[in-house]
Amino acid sequence: MGRCYRLTMEITQEEGERAIRELAEKHSEAGIEISEDLKELTVRTEEENYYRVMTDALNIFERVRKGCELSFDRFV
């Protein structure tokens, strides 16, 4: 099972690719995708890894696009 998060700010294609690349490098075991419209992040990983992956995701998106936060949307 995965979880989908909404980005609270618009980001560019370059910012999205950079954030996903950094997350994938840190968490190669996780399935991490960003939607084509750059508004949703989908994360698939083991339940015990979500806290670690999402902590890094929050920090990376905040750094890549100042002020960008992630808000849980739904399970996928």
Side-chain angles (χ1 to χ4, degrees), residues 13-62:
Q13 184 73 33
E14 181 182 321
E15 291 167 336
E17 289 172 0
R18 190 169 83 188
I20 296 302
R21 186 173 49 250
E22 286 186 41
L23 269 172
E25 287 173 2
K26 291 186 106 177
H27 302 285
S28 59
E29 78 286 351
I32 302 167
E33 302 170 358
I34 195 162
S35 63
E36 285 187 33
D37 64 3
L38 304 170
K39 293 182 179 183
E40 291 184 340
L41 176 71
T42 302
V43 177
R44 290 180 176 86
T45 191
E46 298 296 323
E47 188 65 35
E48 62 269 10
N49 295 336
Y50 269 105
Y51 178 79
R52 188 170 45 94
V53 172
M54 291 313 301
T55 297
D56 287 337
L58 289 166
N59 290 331
I60 289 169
F61 275 90
E62 165 65 25

